Amino acid sequence: MLSTVGKLKVPMVIMHMRGTPETMQSMTQYDDVVVEVASALMKQSTAAEEAGIPRCLQILDPGIGFAKDLEQNLSLLKHSSVMRSLVEDIPLLLGPSRKGFIGKITGENAADQRDFGTLASCLSGLVDSDGNLTPTILRVHNVKGIVQGIRIMEAILKAE
């Protein structure tokens, strides 16, 4: 796939995941999930670069929910600004929308009822350690609701 994308010169999302959808939840052992995911993404980024995909066409996705347990997903969101610096400011994509970890925390079994938890997850992944909104791509189901929440957060952050 890398060589094809390299020839076409189109953007590419590179996602972190271990195993397959059937085996990934048995592969959640990390000493430091943020550092290890960033390192794995940078290795994939380098391979993409070697295949002719410049970093300006790469988007890195830490794979929220893919081979991560509840605490690891939360850690990736909480430390997204650390992740951003570890991946040398290559654009990040966060996809927490309606994920199982939200259901575990809230007790909401129906994925389509997890939009409020999705909003909180997105907001936490957007704010850096200084309280500033950071450039991040979000993959969500309820675009209108998330945009509304981000606009309110942005207004609050800009207030005196």
Side-chain angles (χ1 to χ4, degrees), residues 22-46:
E22 295 78 27
T23 64
M24 66 182 178
Q25 288 315 114
S26 66
M27 304 177 86
T28 60
Q29 298 76 29
Y30 301 90
D31 291 322
D32 184 327
V33 69
V34 176
V35 170
E36 290 177 51
V37 168
S39 176
L41 285 171
M42 287 308 292
K43 286 179 186 167
Q44 291 176 279
S45 172
T46 299

PDB file of all heavy atoms in Angstrom, residues 22-46:
ATOM      1  N   GLU A  22      -9.642  -9.349  15.935  1.00  0.00           N
ATOM      2  CA  GLU A  22      -9.957 -10.508  16.791  1.00  0.00           C
ATOM      3  C   GLU A  22      -8.957 -10.681  17.933  1.00  0.00           C
ATOM      4  O   GLU A  22      -9.313 -11.208  18.988  1.00  0.00           O
ATOM      5  CB  GLU A  22      -9.994 -11.796  15.949  1.00  0.00           C
ATOM      6  CG  GLU A  22     -11.106 -11.845  14.916  1.00  0.00           C
ATOM      7  CD  GLU A  22     -10.814 -11.023  13.653  1.00  0.00           C
ATOM      8  OE1 GLU A  22      -9.638 -10.826  13.311  1.00  0.00           O
ATOM      9  OE2 GLU A  22     -11.782 -10.559  13.037  1.00  0.00           O
ATOM     10  N   THR A  23      -7.714 -10.265  17.737  1.00  0.00           N
ATOM     11  CA  THR A  23      -6.674 -10.519  18.744  1.00  0.00           C
ATOM     12  C   THR A  23      -6.185  -9.276  19.473  1.00  0.00           C
ATOM     13  O   THR A  23      -5.474  -9.387  20.470  1.00  0.00           O
ATOM     14  CB  THR A  23      -5.447 -11.190  18.087  1.00  0.00           C
ATOM     15  OG1 THR A  23      -4.870 -10.285  17.130  1.00  0.00           O
ATOM     16  CG2 THR A  23      -5.825 -12.502  17.421  1.00  0.00           C
ATOM     17  N   MET A  24      -6.552  -8.096  18.995  1.00  0.00           N
ATOM     18  CA  MET A  24      -5.938  -6.863  19.503  1.00  0.00           C
ATOM     19  C   MET A  24      -6.140  -6.637  20.994  1.00  0.00           C
ATOM     20  O   MET A  24      -5.264  -6.100  21.657  1.00  0.00           O
ATOM     21  CB  MET A  24      -6.423  -5.653  18.708  1.00  0.00           C
ATOM     22  CG  MET A  24      -7.879  -5.339  18.872  1.00  0.00           C
ATOM     23  SD  MET A  24      -8.303  -3.941  17.824  1.00  0.00           S
ATOM     24  CE  MET A  24     -10.056  -3.839  18.163  1.00  0.00           C
ATOM     25  N   GLN A  25      -7.267  -7.024  21.554  1.00  0.00           N
ATOM     26  CA  GLN A  25      -7.506  -6.740  22.971  1.00  0.00           C
ATOM     27  C   GLN A  25      -6.702  -7.652  23.894  1.00  0.00           C
ATOM     28  O   GLN A  25      -6.656  -7.430  25.095  1.00  0.00           O
ATOM     29  CB  GLN A  25      -8.988  -6.785  23.297  1.00  0.00           C
ATOM     30  CG  GLN A  25      -9.760  -5.589  22.724  1.00  0.00           C
ATOM     31  CD  GLN A  25      -9.097  -4.231  22.917  1.00  0.00           C
ATOM     32  OE1 GLN A  25      -8.692  -3.582  21.959  1.00  0.00           O
ATOM     33  NE2 GLN A  25      -8.974  -3.776  24.142  1.00  0.00           N
ATOM     34  N   SER A  26      -6.014  -8.627  23.325  1.00  0.00           N
ATOM     35  CA  SER A  26      -5.099  -9.449  24.133  1.00  0.00           C
ATOM     36  C   SER A  26      -3.669  -8.928  24.014  1.00  0.00           C
ATOM     37  O   SER A  26      -2.749  -9.529  24.551  1.00  0.00           O
ATOM     38  CB  SER A  26      -5.157 -10.909  23.680  1.00  0.00           C
ATOM     39  OG  SER A  26      -4.644 -11.033  22.367  1.00  0.00           O
ATOM     40  N   MET A  27      -3.504  -7.795  23.323  1.00  0.00           N
ATOM     41  CA  MET A  27      -2.165  -7.249  23.065  1.00  0.00           C
ATOM     42  C   MET A  27      -2.042  -5.827  23.625  1.00  0.00           C
ATOM     43  O   MET A  27      -1.580  -4.918  22.950  1.00  0.00           O
ATOM     44  CB  MET A  27      -1.891  -7.274  21.559  1.00  0.00           C
ATOM     45  CG  MET A  27      -2.051  -8.656  20.957  1.00  0.00           C
ATOM     46  SD  MET A  27      -1.826  -8.669  19.171  1.00  0.00           S
ATOM     47  CE  MET A  27      -0.053  -8.836  19.134  1.00  0.00           C
ATOM     48  N   THR A  28      -2.454  -5.655  24.872  1.00  0.00           N
ATOM     49  CA  THR A  28      -2.499  -4.314  25.469  1.00  0.00           C
ATOM     50  C   THR A  28      -1.380  -4.078  26.483  1.00  0.00           C
ATOM     51  O   THR A  28      -1.513  -3.216  27.350  1.00  0.00           O
ATOM     52  CB  THR A  28      -3.855  -4.081  26.153  1.00  0.00           C
ATOM     53  OG1 THR A  28      -4.030  -5.065  27.178  1.00  0.00           O
ATOM     54  CG2 THR A  28      -5.001  -4.160  25.166  1.00  0.00           C
ATOM     55  N   GLN A  29      -0.279  -4.816  26.379  1.00  0.00           N
ATOM     56  CA  GLN A  29       0.815  -4.650  27.332  1.00  0.00           C
ATOM     57  C   GLN A  29       1.757  -3.540  26.853  1.00  0.00           C
ATOM     58  O   GLN A  29       2.387  -3.667  25.809  1.00  0.00           O
ATOM     59  CB  GLN A  29       1.616  -5.958  27.505  1.00  0.00           C
ATOM     60  CG  GLN A  29       0.806  -7.120  28.057  1.00  0.00           C
ATOM     61  CD  GLN A  29      -0.112  -7.753  27.015  1.00  0.00           C
ATOM     62  OE1 GLN A  29       0.157  -7.747  25.827  1.00  0.00           O
ATOM     63  NE2 GLN A  29      -1.240  -8.268  27.468  1.00  0.00           N
ATOM     64  N   TYR A  30       1.833  -2.473  27.642  1.00  0.00           N
ATOM     65  CA  TYR A  30       2.734  -1.349  27.367  1.00  0.00           C
ATOM     66  C   TYR A  30       3.379  -0.936  28.689  1.00  0.00           C
ATOM     67  O   TYR A  30       2.729  -0.956  29.728  1.00  0.00           O
ATOM     68  CB  TYR A  30       1.970  -0.128  26.830  1.00  0.00           C
ATOM     69  CG  TYR A  30       1.203  -0.353  25.553  1.00  0.00           C
ATOM     70  CD1 TYR A  30      -0.121  -0.783  25.572  1.00  0.00           C
ATOM     71  CD2 TYR A  30       1.794  -0.108  24.321  1.00  0.00           C
ATOM     72  CE1 TYR A  30      -0.832  -0.965  24.399  1.00  0.00           C
ATOM     73  CE2 TYR A  30       1.083  -0.287  23.138  1.00  0.00           C
ATOM     74  CZ  TYR A  30      -0.228  -0.718  23.183  1.00  0.00           C
ATOM     75  OH  TYR A  30      -0.935  -0.901  22.021  1.00  0.00           O
ATOM     76  N   ASP A  31       4.630  -0.532  28.636  1.00  0.00           N
ATOM     77  CA  ASP A  31       5.253   0.079  29.810  1.00  0.00           C
ATOM     78  C   ASP A  31       4.852   1.548  29.900  1.00  0.00           C
ATOM     79  O   ASP A  31       4.582   2.068  30.967  1.00  0.00           O
ATOM     80  CB  ASP A  31       6.783  -0.058  29.761  1.00  0.00           C
ATOM     81  CG  ASP A  31       7.233  -1.503  29.940  1.00  0.00           C
ATOM     82  OD1 ASP A  31       6.610  -2.227  30.750  1.00  0.00           O
ATOM     83  OD2 ASP A  31       8.191  -1.899  29.259  1.00  0.00           O
ATOM     84  N   ASP A  32       4.834   2.218  28.759  1.00  0.00           N
ATOM     85  CA  ASP A  32       4.414   3.620  28.660  1.00  0.00           C
ATOM     86  C   ASP A  32       3.690   3.773  27.331  1.00  0.00           C
ATOM     87  O   ASP A  32       4.319   3.900  26.278  1.00  0.00           O
ATOM     88  CB  ASP A  32       5.628   4.548  28.733  1.00  0.00           C
ATOM     89  CG  ASP A  32       5.249   6.023  28.723  1.00  0.00           C
ATOM     90  OD1 ASP A  32       4.237   6.394  28.080  1.00  0.00           O
ATOM     91  OD2 ASP A  32       5.971   6.813  29.350  1.00  0.00           O
ATOM     92  N   VAL A  33       2.374   3.722  27.382  1.00  0.00           N
ATOM     93  CA  VAL A  33       1.585   3.665  26.154  1.00  0.00           C
ATOM     94  C   VAL A  33       1.839   4.865  25.244  1.00  0.00           C
ATOM     95  O   VAL A  33       1.922   4.716  24.019  1.00  0.00           O
ATOM     96  CB  VAL A  33       0.074   3.489  26.456  1.00  0.00           C
ATOM     97  CG1 VAL A  33      -0.531   4.726  27.099  1.00  0.00           C
ATOM     98  CG2 VAL A  33      -0.691   3.096  25.204  1.00  0.00           C
ATOM     99  N   VAL A  34       1.992   6.051  25.810  1.00  0.00           N
ATOM    100  CA  VAL A  34       2.188   7.244  24.971  1.00  0.00           C
ATOM    101  C   VAL A  34       3.508   7.165  24.214  1.00  0.00           C
ATOM    102  O   VAL A  34       3.557   7.353  22.997  1.00  0.00           O
ATOM    103  CB  VAL A  34       2.098   8.534  25.826  1.00  0.00           C
ATOM    104  CG1 VAL A  34       2.408   9.760  24.981  1.00  0.00           C
ATOM    105  CG2 VAL A  34       0.720   8.655  26.468  1.00  0.00           C
ATOM    106  N   VAL A  35       4.570   6.841  24.928  1.00  0.00           N
ATOM    107  CA  VAL A  35       5.895   6.762  24.310  1.00  0.00           C
ATOM    108  C   VAL A  35       5.955   5.615  23.304  1.00  0.00           C
ATOM    109  O   VAL A  35       6.480   5.766  22.192  1.00  0.00           O
ATOM    110  CB  VAL A  35       6.993   6.614  25.391  1.00  0.00           C
ATOM    111  CG1 VAL A  35       8.342   6.289  24.766  1.00  0.00           C
ATOM    112  CG2 VAL A  35       7.073   7.888  26.224  1.00  0.00           C
ATOM    113  N   GLU A  36       5.414   4.469  23.667  1.00  0.00           N
ATOM    114  CA  GLU A  36       5.495   3.303  22.775  1.00  0.00           C
ATOM    115  C   GLU A  36       4.651   3.472  21.517  1.00  0.00           C
ATOM    116  O   GLU A  36       5.077   3.089  20.424  1.00  0.00           O
ATOM    117  CB  GLU A  36       5.103   2.037  23.536  1.00  0.00           C
ATOM    118  CG  GLU A  36       6.146   1.647  24.572  1.00  0.00           C
ATOM    119  CD  GLU A  36       5.746   0.451  25.391  1.00  0.00           C
ATOM    120  OE1 GLU A  36       5.364  -0.588  24.801  1.00  0.00           O
ATOM    121  OE2 GLU A  36       5.818   0.548  26.635  1.00  0.00           O
ATOM    122  N   VAL A  37       3.464   4.057  21.664  1.00  0.00           N
ATOM    123  CA  VAL A  37       2.623   4.293  20.487  1.00  0.00           C
ATOM    124  C   VAL A  37       3.283   5.331  19.587  1.00  0.00           C
ATOM    125  O   VAL A  37       3.347   5.162  18.366  1.00  0.00           O
ATOM    126  CB  VAL A  37       1.193   4.708  20.891  1.00  0.00           C
ATOM    127  CG1 VAL A  37       0.406   5.244  19.704  1.00  0.00           C
ATOM    128  CG2 VAL A  37       0.465   3.521  21.521  1.00  0.00           C
ATOM    129  N   ALA A  38       3.815   6.398  20.179  1.00  0.00           N
ATOM    130  CA  ALA A  38       4.512   7.421  19.381  1.00  0.00           C
ATOM    131  C   ALA A  38       5.701   6.822  18.641  1.00  0.00           C
ATOM    132  O   ALA A  38       5.915   7.112  17.461  1.00  0.00           O
ATOM    133  CB  ALA A  38       4.956   8.574  20.276  1.00  0.00           C
ATOM    134  N   SER A  39       6.458   5.986  19.323  1.00  0.00           N
ATOM    135  CA  SER A  39       7.625   5.355  18.698  1.00  0.00           C
ATOM    136  C   SER A  39       7.207   4.466  17.527  1.00  0.00           C
ATOM    137  O   SER A  39       7.820   4.506  16.451  1.00  0.00           O
ATOM    138  CB  SER A  39       8.391   4.542  19.745  1.00  0.00           C
ATOM    139  OG  SER A  39       9.455   3.851  19.153  1.00  0.00           O
ATOM    140  N   ALA A  40       6.173   3.673  17.731  1.00  0.00           N
ATOM    141  CA  ALA A  40       5.688   2.806  16.653  1.00  0.00           C
ATOM    142  C   ALA A  40       5.180   3.632  15.474  1.00  0.00           C
ATOM    143  O   ALA A  40       5.434   3.295  14.310  1.00  0.00           O
ATOM    144  CB  ALA A  40       4.584   1.885  17.178  1.00  0.00           C
ATOM    145  N   LEU A  41       4.482   4.725  15.765  1.00  0.00           N
ATOM    146  CA  LEU A  41       3.989   5.589  14.695  1.00  0.00           C
ATOM    147  C   LEU A  41       5.139   6.233  13.927  1.00  0.00           C
ATOM    148  O   LEU A  41       5.086   6.362  12.697  1.00  0.00           O
ATOM    149  CB  LEU A  41       3.056   6.669  15.253  1.00  0.00           C
ATOM    150  CG  LEU A  41       1.664   6.185  15.650  1.00  0.00           C
ATOM    151  CD1 LEU A  41       0.910   7.286  16.398  1.00  0.00           C
ATOM    152  CD2 LEU A  41       0.871   5.714  14.438  1.00  0.00           C
ATOM    153  N   MET A  42       6.193   6.615  14.634  1.00  0.00           N
ATOM    154  CA  MET A  42       7.343   7.225  13.949  1.00  0.00           C
ATOM    155  C   MET A  42       8.064   6.206  13.061  1.00  0.00           C
ATOM    156  O   MET A  42       8.546   6.559  11.980  1.00  0.00           O
ATOM    157  CB  MET A  42       8.304   7.851  14.958  1.00  0.00           C
ATOM    158  CG  MET A  42       7.759   9.142  15.573  1.00  0.00           C
ATOM    159  SD  MET A  42       7.194  10.371  14.358  1.00  0.00           S
ATOM    160  CE  MET A  42       8.757  10.840  13.610  1.00  0.00           C
ATOM    161  N   LYS A  43       8.106   4.939  13.485  1.00  0.00           N
ATOM    162  CA  LYS A  43       8.684   3.904  12.623  1.00  0.00           C
ATOM    163  C   LYS A  43       7.847   3.748  11.356  1.00  0.00           C
ATOM    164  O   LYS A  43       8.392   3.637  10.253  1.00  0.00           O
ATOM    165  CB  LYS A  43       8.775   2.576  13.376  1.00  0.00           C
ATOM    166  CG  LYS A  43       9.881   2.538  14.406  1.00  0.00           C
ATOM    167  CD  LYS A  43       9.919   1.218  15.131  1.00  0.00           C
ATOM    168  CE  LYS A  43      10.957   1.279  16.252  1.00  0.00           C
ATOM    169  NZ  LYS A  43      10.842   0.168  17.182  1.00  0.00           N
ATOM    170  N   GLN A  44       6.529   3.746  11.518  1.00  0.00           N
ATOM    171  CA  GLN A  44       5.648   3.653  10.356  1.00  0.00           C
ATOM    172  C   GLN A  44       5.781   4.897   9.474  1.00  0.00           C
ATOM    173  O   GLN A  44       5.748   4.798   8.247  1.00  0.00           O
ATOM    174  CB  GLN A  44       4.189   3.475  10.806  1.00  0.00           C
ATOM    175  CG  GLN A  44       3.903   2.121  11.440  1.00  0.00           C
ATOM    176  CD  GLN A  44       2.466   2.057  11.949  1.00  0.00           C
ATOM    177  OE1 GLN A  44       2.163   2.556  13.019  1.00  0.00           O
ATOM    178  NE2 GLN A  44       1.606   1.454  11.148  1.00  0.00           N
ATOM    179  N   SER A  45       5.940   6.052  10.102  1.00  0.00           N
ATOM    180  CA  SER A  45       6.112   7.295   9.360  1.00  0.00           C
ATOM    181  C   SER A  45       7.389   7.253   8.533  1.00  0.00           C
ATOM    182  O   SER A  45       7.405   7.671   7.356  1.00  0.00           O
ATOM    183  CB  SER A  45       6.147   8.486  10.328  1.00  0.00           C
ATOM    184  OG  SER A  45       6.484   9.664   9.657  1.00  0.00           O
ATOM    185  N   THR A  46       8.458   6.749   9.124  1.00  0.00           N
ATOM    186  CA  THR A  46       9.730   6.638   8.405  1.00  0.00           C
ATOM    187  C   THR A  46       9.597   5.694   7.213  1.00  0.00           C
ATOM    188  O   THR A  46      10.084   5.986   6.114  1.00  0.00           O
ATOM    189  CB  THR A  46      10.843   6.166   9.361  1.00  0.00           C
ATOM    190  OG1 THR A  46      10.987   7.142  10.392  1.00  0.00           O
ATOM    191  CG2 THR A  46      12.164   5.984   8.647  1.00  0.00           C
TER     192      THR A  46
END
